Amino acid sequence: MEDGFVRLTEVDFRFFCDWIAVHTQELYENKVGYEARWTLDPKVFYVKLLDESLYTIDEIMLDIRKEMV
């Protein structure tokens, strides 16, 4: 996959979408978007932020992991 994409399982992608939903207003105000791609067999998701000036994808994934504990 291209540079900048992070591979996520279906469950991880669901958590990522939940995180995005909680932070939508903040991301919108700062004009931060993301790109998602997926394969069907096996079901794998690839995500990257289009602007990492506010958050990095690594920071988001760490935040998600902390929320899971």
Side-chain angles (χ1 to χ4, degrees), residues 31-48:
K31 297 176 177 49
V32 176
Y34 69 93
E35 183 175 344
R37 300 176 181 181
W38 58 90
T39 63
L40 295 177
D41 188 32
K43 202 166 204 178
V44 177
F45 296 85
Y46 298 92
V47 176
K48 80 172 181 176

Side-chain angles (χ1 to χ4, degrees), residues 36-63:
R37 300 176 181 181
W38 58 90
T39 63
L40 295 177
D41 188 32
K43 202 166 204 178
V44 177
F45 296 85
Y46 298 92
V47 176
K48 80 172 181 176
L49 292 181
L50 301 177
D51 176 5
E52 290 192 327
S53 61
L54 182 64
Y55 293 108
T56 66
I57 192 72
D58 292 336
E59 290 171 335
I60 292 172
M61 299 313 293
L62 283 174
D63 196 28

Side-chain angles (χ1 to χ4, degrees), residues 19-21 23-34 49 51 54-55 60:
W19 188 94
I20 292 293
H23 296 88
T24 297
Q25 185 64 35
E26 181 180 13
L27 295 172
Y28 174 78
E29 289 171 358
N30 290 284
K31 297 176 177 49
V32 176
Y34 69 93
L49 292 181
D51 176 5
L54 182 64
Y55 293 108
I60 292 172

